[in-house]
Amino acid sequence: MKLGHVLRSTLFVGAVAGIAMATQASAVTWRGWNIHGPGYPNTVAMHDFAKAVTAKTDGRIKATVYDNGVLGDQPDAIEQTRSGALNFANFNMGPMGPIVPMTNVLSLPFLFNGVEQMHHVMDGKIGQEFSDALAKKGLVALSWFDSGARSMYNTKHPITKPSDVKGLKIRVMNNDLYVQMIDAMGGNATPMAFGEVYQALKTGVIDGAENNYPSYDETNHFEVAKYYSTTDHLIIPECLCIAKASWDALSNGDQKIVRQAAIDAAIEQRKLWAQDSTKAKKAVEAGGAKINVIKNLKPFQDAMKPIYTKFFEKNPSLKPLVEQIRATK
Ligand code: GTR
Protein backbone atom coordinates (compact mmCIF):
# COMPACT_ATOMS: atom_id res chain seq x y z
CA MET A 1 0.00 0.00 0.00
CA LYS A 2 1.31 3.42 -0.90
CA LEU A 3 1.88 5.91 1.88
CA GLY A 4 -0.96 8.09 0.61
CA HIS A 5 -3.37 5.19 0.92
CA VAL A 6 -2.17 4.31 4.39
CA LEU A 7 -2.63 7.90 5.47
CA ARG A 8 -6.03 8.16 3.89
CA SER A 9 -7.26 4.90 5.44
CA THR A 10 -5.79 5.89 8.82
CA LEU A 11 -7.62 9.18 8.56
CA PHE A 12 -10.79 7.31 7.58
CA VAL A 13 -10.53 4.86 10.49
CA GLY A 14 -9.80 7.78 12.78
CA ALA A 15 -12.84 9.63 11.53
CA VAL A 16 -15.08 6.59 12.00
CA ALA A 17 -13.72 6.08 15.52
CA GLY A 18 -14.39 9.76 16.15
CA ILE A 19 -17.99 9.37 15.08
CA ALA A 20 -18.35 6.29 17.26
CA MET A 21 -16.91 8.18 20.22
CA ALA A 22 -19.21 11.11 19.61
CA THR A 23 -22.19 8.75 19.47
CA GLN A 24 -21.09 7.09 22.67
CA ALA A 25 -20.55 10.38 24.40
CA SER A 26 -24.07 11.52 23.57
CA ALA A 27 -25.73 8.22 24.55
CA VAL A 28 -27.77 8.47 27.71
CA THR A 29 -28.61 5.76 30.18
CA TRP A 30 -32.20 5.60 31.37
CA ARG A 31 -33.20 3.82 34.56
CA GLY A 32 -36.81 2.74 34.84
CA TRP A 33 -38.85 1.94 37.95
CA ASN A 34 -41.29 -0.95 38.10
CA ILE A 35 -42.92 -2.32 41.24
CA HIS A 36 -43.90 -5.70 39.77
CA GLY A 37 -41.97 -8.90 39.16
CA PRO A 38 -41.18 -10.92 36.03
CA GLY A 39 -44.16 -12.13 34.02
CA TYR A 40 -46.59 -9.49 35.33
CA PRO A 41 -48.29 -7.65 32.42
CA ASN A 42 -46.77 -4.30 33.42
CA THR A 43 -43.31 -5.81 33.72
CA VAL A 44 -43.47 -7.39 30.26
CA ALA A 45 -44.70 -4.13 28.72
CA MET A 46 -42.11 -1.99 30.54
CA HIS A 47 -39.25 -4.22 29.39
CA ASP A 48 -40.55 -4.19 25.82
CA PHE A 49 -40.78 -0.40 26.04
CA ALA A 50 -37.15 -0.20 27.18
CA LYS A 51 -36.04 -2.56 24.41
CA ALA A 52 -37.92 -0.58 21.75
CA VAL A 53 -36.49 2.73 22.96
CA THR A 54 -32.94 1.36 22.98
CA ALA A 55 -33.27 -0.27 19.55
CA LYS A 56 -35.15 2.50 17.77
CA THR A 57 -32.88 5.28 19.00
CA ASP A 58 -29.90 3.20 17.80
CA GLY A 59 -28.60 3.18 21.34
CA ARG A 60 -28.72 6.96 21.84
CA ILE A 61 -30.85 5.99 24.83
CA LYS A 62 -29.96 2.84 26.69
CA ALA A 63 -33.03 2.06 28.78
CA THR A 64 -33.11 -0.53 31.58
CA VAL A 65 -36.03 -1.43 33.84
CA TYR A 66 -35.50 -2.35 37.50
CA ASP A 67 -38.28 -4.63 38.75
CA ASN A 68 -39.83 -5.48 42.12
CA GLY A 69 -39.56 -1.92 43.41
CA VAL A 70 -35.83 -2.39 44.10
CA LEU A 71 -35.25 1.32 43.41
CA GLY A 72 -37.70 2.33 46.14
CA ASP A 73 -41.36 2.33 47.09
CA GLN A 74 -43.83 4.17 44.88
CA PRO A 75 -44.02 7.55 46.70
CA ASP A 76 -40.23 7.62 46.83
CA ALA A 77 -39.89 6.60 43.16
CA ILE A 78 -42.30 9.36 42.14
CA GLU A 79 -39.99 11.90 43.80
CA GLN A 80 -36.91 10.32 42.23
CA THR A 81 -38.50 10.52 38.79
CA ARG A 82 -39.65 14.10 39.30
CA SER A 83 -36.09 15.07 40.16
CA GLY A 84 -34.67 13.16 37.18
CA ALA A 85 -32.73 10.68 39.34
CA LEU A 86 -34.91 8.03 37.68
CA ASN A 87 -35.88 8.47 34.03
CA PHE A 88 -39.09 6.53 33.53
CA ALA A 89 -41.62 4.55 35.49
CA ASN A 90 -44.97 2.85 35.65
CA PHE A 91 -46.97 4.62 38.37
CA ASN A 92 -50.35 3.92 39.83
CA MET A 93 -52.34 7.16 40.06
CA GLY A 94 -53.29 6.45 43.71
CA PRO A 95 -50.05 7.59 45.36
CA MET A 96 -49.86 10.44 42.82
CA GLY A 97 -52.71 12.30 44.54
CA PRO A 98 -50.62 14.00 47.22
CA ILE A 99 -48.32 15.44 44.51
CA VAL A 100 -50.73 16.22 41.68
CA PRO A 101 -54.04 17.03 43.43
CA MET A 102 -56.09 16.80 40.24
CA THR A 103 -55.28 13.09 40.02
CA ASN A 104 -57.13 12.57 43.33
CA VAL A 105 -60.26 12.52 41.21
CA LEU A 106 -59.11 9.12 39.92
CA SER A 107 -58.97 7.81 43.49
CA LEU A 108 -62.62 8.57 44.21
CA PRO A 109 -64.28 5.19 44.85
CA PHE A 110 -66.69 4.02 42.13
CA LEU A 111 -65.76 6.91 39.82
CA PHE A 112 -65.80 4.85 36.62
CA ASN A 113 -68.62 2.52 35.63
CA GLY A 114 -66.15 0.06 34.11
CA VAL A 115 -62.70 -0.37 32.60
CA GLU A 116 -63.95 0.65 29.13
CA GLN A 117 -65.06 4.02 30.41
CA MET A 118 -61.68 4.48 32.10
CA HIS A 119 -59.96 3.79 28.74
CA HIS A 120 -62.18 6.26 26.91
CA VAL A 121 -61.53 8.94 29.49
CA MET A 122 -57.78 8.44 29.75
CA ASP A 123 -57.16 8.04 26.01
CA GLY A 124 -59.09 11.22 25.22
CA LYS A 125 -59.15 14.92 26.06
CA ILE A 126 -59.51 14.39 29.81
CA GLY A 127 -56.50 12.07 29.86
CA GLN A 128 -54.55 14.87 28.21
CA GLU A 129 -55.63 17.24 30.99
CA PHE A 130 -54.26 14.80 33.54
CA SER A 131 -51.02 14.59 31.55
CA ASP A 132 -50.75 18.39 31.53
CA ALA A 133 -51.19 18.50 35.31
CA LEU A 134 -48.50 15.82 35.75
CA ALA A 135 -46.12 17.68 33.43
CA LYS A 136 -46.32 20.73 35.70
CA LYS A 137 -44.95 18.48 38.46
CA GLY A 138 -42.10 17.06 36.41
CA LEU A 139 -43.68 13.92 34.92
CA VAL A 140 -44.57 13.32 31.27
CA ALA A 141 -47.34 10.72 31.05
CA LEU A 142 -47.17 9.11 27.62
CA SER A 143 -49.70 6.30 27.91
CA TRP A 144 -52.06 4.63 30.35
CA PHE A 145 -51.97 1.05 31.61
CA ASP A 146 -54.82 -1.01 33.01
CA SER A 147 -55.05 -1.90 36.65
CA GLY A 148 -58.42 -3.64 36.57
CA ALA A 149 -60.76 -3.15 39.49
CA ARG A 150 -59.56 -3.31 43.07
CA SER A 151 -61.50 -5.33 45.64
CA MET A 152 -61.14 -5.99 49.35
CA TYR A 153 -59.66 -9.10 50.93
CA ASN A 154 -58.88 -10.13 54.47
CA THR A 155 -57.91 -12.93 56.81
CA LYS A 156 -61.19 -13.01 58.76
CA HIS A 157 -64.41 -13.30 56.75
CA PRO A 158 -66.18 -12.39 53.50
CA ILE A 159 -67.37 -8.81 53.08
CA THR A 160 -70.98 -8.77 51.97
CA LYS A 161 -71.96 -5.31 53.22
CA PRO A 162 -69.98 -2.18 54.24
CA SER A 163 -70.41 -2.86 57.97
CA ASP A 164 -68.49 -6.16 57.56
CA VAL A 165 -65.35 -3.99 57.31
CA LYS A 166 -65.96 -2.71 60.84
CA GLY A 167 -62.97 -3.18 63.09
CA LEU A 168 -60.72 -4.58 60.35
CA LYS A 169 -57.25 -3.13 59.87
CA ILE A 170 -56.90 -2.64 56.14
CA ARG A 171 -53.72 -1.70 54.26
CA VAL A 172 -54.20 1.08 51.70
CA MET A 173 -51.94 2.87 49.22
CA ASN A 174 -50.55 6.24 50.18
CA ASN A 175 -53.51 8.59 49.72
CA ASP A 176 -55.81 10.08 52.35
CA LEU A 177 -58.87 9.33 50.21
CA TYR A 178 -58.32 5.62 50.82
CA VAL A 179 -58.12 6.24 54.56
CA GLN A 180 -61.48 8.00 54.31
CA MET A 181 -62.85 5.12 52.24
CA ILE A 182 -62.00 2.50 54.90
CA ASP A 183 -63.14 4.83 57.71
CA ALA A 184 -66.50 5.24 55.97
CA MET A 185 -67.08 1.50 56.40
CA GLY A 186 -65.91 1.46 60.02
CA GLY A 187 -62.49 -0.09 59.37
CA ASN A 188 -59.02 1.15 60.31
CA ALA A 189 -56.87 2.11 57.35
CA THR A 190 -53.10 1.62 57.43
CA PRO A 191 -51.08 3.17 54.58
CA MET A 192 -48.16 0.82 53.91
CA ALA A 193 -45.64 0.01 51.16
CA PHE A 194 -46.78 -2.68 48.72
CA GLY A 195 -43.81 -4.92 49.48
CA GLU A 196 -44.57 -5.01 53.22
CA VAL A 197 -48.16 -6.19 52.97
CA TYR A 198 -47.55 -9.96 52.81
CA GLN A 199 -45.60 -10.06 56.05
CA ALA A 200 -48.04 -7.69 57.76
CA LEU A 201 -50.95 -9.95 56.81
CA LYS A 202 -49.08 -13.03 57.92
CA THR A 203 -48.15 -11.65 61.32
CA GLY A 204 -51.58 -10.10 61.94
CA VAL A 205 -50.31 -6.50 61.91
CA ILE A 206 -53.15 -5.93 59.44
CA ASP A 207 -56.25 -7.98 58.66
CA GLY A 208 -56.62 -7.15 55.01
CA ALA A 209 -55.84 -5.07 51.96
CA GLU A 210 -57.37 -4.34 48.59
CA ASN A 211 -56.14 -4.98 45.09
CA ASN A 212 -56.90 -6.50 41.68
CA TYR A 213 -56.59 -10.24 40.92
CA PRO A 214 -53.14 -10.07 39.24
CA SER A 215 -51.59 -8.32 42.25
CA TYR A 216 -53.45 -10.50 44.78
CA ASP A 217 -51.97 -13.46 42.94
CA GLU A 218 -48.47 -12.11 42.29
CA THR A 219 -47.88 -11.16 45.92
CA ASN A 220 -49.27 -14.44 47.31
CA HIS A 221 -51.56 -12.42 49.55
CA PHE A 222 -54.23 -15.02 48.80
CA GLU A 223 -52.24 -17.53 50.84
CA VAL A 224 -52.61 -15.50 54.02
CA ALA A 225 -55.81 -13.51 53.39
CA LYS A 226 -58.18 -15.85 51.61
CA TYR A 227 -61.47 -13.94 51.78
CA TYR A 228 -61.68 -11.88 48.60
CA SER A 229 -64.93 -9.96 48.08
CA THR A 230 -65.63 -8.22 44.78
CA THR A 231 -66.20 -4.67 46.03
CA ASP A 232 -64.69 -3.39 42.74
CA HIS A 233 -64.44 -0.01 44.45
CA LEU A 234 -61.52 1.38 42.49
CA ILE A 235 -60.70 1.35 38.79
CA ILE A 236 -57.52 3.32 38.62
CA PRO A 237 -55.20 3.87 35.66
CA GLU A 238 -51.41 3.70 35.79
CA CYS A 239 -49.15 5.88 33.68
CA LEU A 240 -46.04 5.18 31.73
CA CYS A 241 -44.26 8.35 32.79
CA ILE A 242 -40.95 9.91 31.74
CA ALA A 243 -39.01 12.34 33.92
CA LYS A 244 -39.65 15.76 32.40
CA ALA A 245 -35.93 16.59 32.50
CA SER A 246 -35.16 13.44 30.48
CA TRP A 247 -37.98 14.16 28.05
CA ASP A 248 -36.96 17.79 27.49
CA ALA A 249 -33.39 16.71 26.73
CA LEU A 250 -34.55 14.61 23.73
CA SER A 251 -34.60 15.73 20.11
CA ASN A 252 -38.03 15.93 18.45
CA GLY A 253 -37.26 12.74 16.58
CA ASP A 254 -36.37 10.82 19.73
CA GLN A 255 -39.47 12.15 21.51
CA LYS A 256 -41.55 10.67 18.70
CA ILE A 257 -39.81 7.31 19.07
CA VAL A 258 -40.28 7.26 22.85
CA ARG A 259 -43.94 8.33 22.61
CA GLN A 260 -44.70 5.61 20.07
CA ALA A 261 -42.92 2.98 22.18
CA ALA A 262 -45.03 4.05 25.19
CA ILE A 263 -48.26 3.78 23.21
CA ASP A 264 -47.26 0.34 21.92
CA ALA A 265 -46.41 -0.71 25.49
CA ALA A 266 -49.87 0.32 26.73
CA ILE A 267 -51.57 -1.60 23.93
CA GLU A 268 -49.53 -4.66 24.85
CA GLN A 269 -50.08 -4.22 28.59
CA ARG A 270 -53.87 -3.93 28.20
CA LYS A 271 -53.99 -7.09 26.09
CA LEU A 272 -51.85 -9.02 28.59
CA TRP A 273 -53.87 -7.57 31.46
CA ALA A 274 -57.12 -9.00 30.14
CA GLN A 275 -55.53 -12.45 29.81
CA ASP A 276 -53.73 -12.29 33.13
CA SER A 277 -56.79 -11.20 35.14
CA THR A 278 -58.66 -14.36 34.15
CA LYS A 279 -55.60 -16.51 34.80
CA ALA A 280 -54.91 -14.89 38.17
CA LYS A 281 -58.50 -15.36 39.34
CA LYS A 282 -58.27 -19.08 38.55
CA ALA A 283 -54.85 -19.34 40.20
CA VAL A 284 -55.94 -17.75 43.48
CA GLU A 285 -59.03 -19.93 43.63
CA ALA A 286 -56.91 -23.01 43.03
CA GLY A 287 -54.63 -21.73 45.79
CA GLY A 288 -57.46 -21.65 48.31
CA ALA A 289 -58.91 -18.12 48.02
CA LYS A 290 -62.64 -17.88 48.70
CA ILE A 291 -64.14 -15.43 46.25
CA ASN A 292 -67.32 -13.80 47.38
CA VAL A 293 -69.12 -12.12 44.47
CA ILE A 294 -71.06 -9.09 45.67
CA LYS A 295 -74.07 -8.69 43.40
CA ASN A 296 -75.38 -5.39 44.72
CA LEU A 297 -72.72 -2.73 45.18
CA LYS A 298 -75.20 0.05 45.97
CA PRO A 299 -74.72 -0.09 49.77
CA PHE A 300 -70.96 0.32 49.20
CA GLN A 301 -71.50 3.19 46.76
CA ASP A 302 -73.87 4.87 49.21
CA ALA A 303 -71.31 4.52 51.99
CA MET A 304 -68.84 6.50 49.84
CA LYS A 305 -71.13 9.52 49.36
CA PRO A 306 -69.70 11.49 52.33
CA ILE A 307 -66.26 11.21 50.69
CA TYR A 308 -67.56 12.93 47.56
CA THR A 309 -69.29 15.64 49.63
CA LYS A 310 -66.09 16.37 51.53
CA PHE A 311 -63.98 16.23 48.37
CA PHE A 312 -66.17 18.76 46.53
CA GLU A 313 -66.22 21.04 49.58
CA LYS A 314 -62.43 21.07 49.53
CA ASN A 315 -62.03 21.04 45.73
CA PRO A 316 -65.07 22.74 44.15
CA SER A 317 -63.16 23.32 40.91
CA LEU A 318 -62.84 19.55 40.35
CA LYS A 319 -66.59 18.89 40.38
CA PRO A 320 -67.09 19.56 36.64
CA LEU A 321 -64.25 17.15 35.86
CA VAL A 322 -65.95 14.36 37.83
CA GLU A 323 -69.20 15.12 36.00
CA GLN A 324 -67.44 15.05 32.62
CA ILE A 325 -65.86 11.68 33.48
CA ARG A 326 -69.18 10.24 34.54
CA ALA A 327 -70.81 11.47 31.32
CA THR A 328 -68.15 9.80 29.15
CA LYS A 329 -69.55 6.82 27.26
C1 GTR B 1 -50.89 -2.66 42.17
C2 GTR B 1 -50.33 -1.57 41.32
C3 GTR B 1 -49.06 -1.03 41.90
C4 GTR B 1 -49.24 -0.64 43.34
C5 GTR B 1 -49.93 -1.72 44.12
C6 GTR B 1 -50.25 -1.29 45.56
O1 GTR B 1 -52.11 -3.12 41.64
O2 GTR B 1 -50.08 -2.04 40.00
O3 GTR B 1 -48.58 0.06 41.16
O4 GTR B 1 -49.98 0.54 43.40
O5 GTR B 1 -51.11 -2.17 43.48
O6 GTR B 1 -51.29 -1.68 46.06
O7 GTR B 1 -49.43 -0.59 46.16
Side-chain angles (χ1 to χ4, degrees), residues 207-266:
D207 304 308
E210 47 84 54
N211 222 314
N212 47 52
Y213 284 122
S215 279
Y216 183 50
D217 179 26
E218 177 188 46
T219 53
N220 294 328
H221 291 177
F222 66 92
E223 286 175 358
V224 279
K226 67 175 178 182
Y227 297 104
Y228 189 96
S229 302
T230 60
T231 48
D232 286 348
H233 53 271
L234 198 62
I235 291 174
I236 190 152
E238 302 190 7
C239 71
L240 198 167
C241 279
I242 313 288
K244 187 150 190 311
S246 310
W247 177 255
D248 288 345
L250 296 179
S251 66
N252 284 345
D254 282 351
Q255 283 188 351
K256 266 198 199 129
I257 291 172
V258 173
R259 185 182 291 282
Q260 190 55 51
I263 292 168
D264 293 345

Side-chain angles (χ1 to χ4, degrees), residues 242-295:
I242 313 288
K244 187 150 190 311
S246 310
W247 177 255
D248 288 345
L250 296 179
S251 66
N252 284 345
D254 282 351
Q255 283 188 351
K256 266 198 199 129
I257 291 172
V258 173
R259 185 182 291 282
Q260 190 55 51
I263 292 168
D264 293 345
I267 293 170
E268 181 186 25
Q269 191 272 349
R270 289 181 189 184
K271 208 191 292 157
L272 293 174
W273 184 266
Q275 296 162 6
D276 201 63
S277 300
T278 316
K279 243 176 44 199
K281 179 168 182 271
K282 284 197 187 131
V284 297
E285 277 185 299
K290 304 270 174 260
I291 296 175
N292 160 49
V293 178
I294 306 174
K295 294 216 178 74

Side-chain angles (χ1 to χ4, degrees), residues 35-36 40 42 74 92 147 150 171 173 194 210-212 215 238:
I35 202 165
H36 295 289
Y40 199 88
N42 305 34
Q74 197 150 186
N92 186 298
S147 200
R150 295 174 75 105
R171 177 268 174 173
M173 289 186 284
F194 189 47
E210 47 84 54
N211 222 314
N212 47 52
S215 279
E238 302 190 7

Side-chain angles (χ1 to χ4, degrees), residues 163-236:
S163 58
D164 291 335
V165 179
K166 204 166 170 202
L168 294 180
K169 269 199 186 164
I170 306 290
R171 177 268 174 173
V172 291
M173 289 186 284
N174 185 41
N175 188 318
D176 185 55
L177 281 167
Y178 305 142
V179 175
Q180 293 177 37
M181 177 178 82
I182 300 299
D183 275 359
M185 296 185 281
N188 303 314
T190 310
M192 185 183 282
F194 189 47
E196 288 168 16
V197 181
Y198 180 87
Q199 205 52 28
L201 284 168
K202 200 169 173 183
T203 54
V205 169
I206 52 169
D207 304 308
E210 47 84 54
N211 222 314
N212 47 52
Y213 284 122
S215 279
Y216 183 50
D217 179 26
E218 177 188 46
T219 53
N220 294 328
H221 291 177
F222 66 92
E223 286 175 358
V224 279
K226 67 175 178 182
Y227 297 104
Y228 189 96
S229 302
T230 60
T231 48
D232 286 348
H233 53 271
L234 198 62
I235 291 174
I236 190 152

Side-chain angles (χ1 to χ4, degrees), residues 31-35 69 71-101 103-104 107 133-135 137-140 173-175 178 236-239 241-245:
R31 295 194 313 149
W33 182 87
N34 169 39
I35 202 165
L71 298 182
D73 188 34
Q74 197 150 186
D76 182 38
I78 291 173
E79 284 313 323
Q80 290 191 61
T81 311
R82 289 182 62 203
S83 74
L86 290 177
N87 309 92
F88 64 109
N90 164 219
F91 290 133
N92 186 298
M93 284 298 111
M96 199 60 86
I99 294 137
V100 186
T103 62
N104 274 321
S107 285
L134 286 158
K137 296 292 167 94
L139 296 166
V140 178
M173 289 186 284
N174 185 41
N175 188 318
Y178 305 142
I236 190 152
E238 302 190 7
C239 71
C241 279
I242 313 288
K244 187 150 190 311

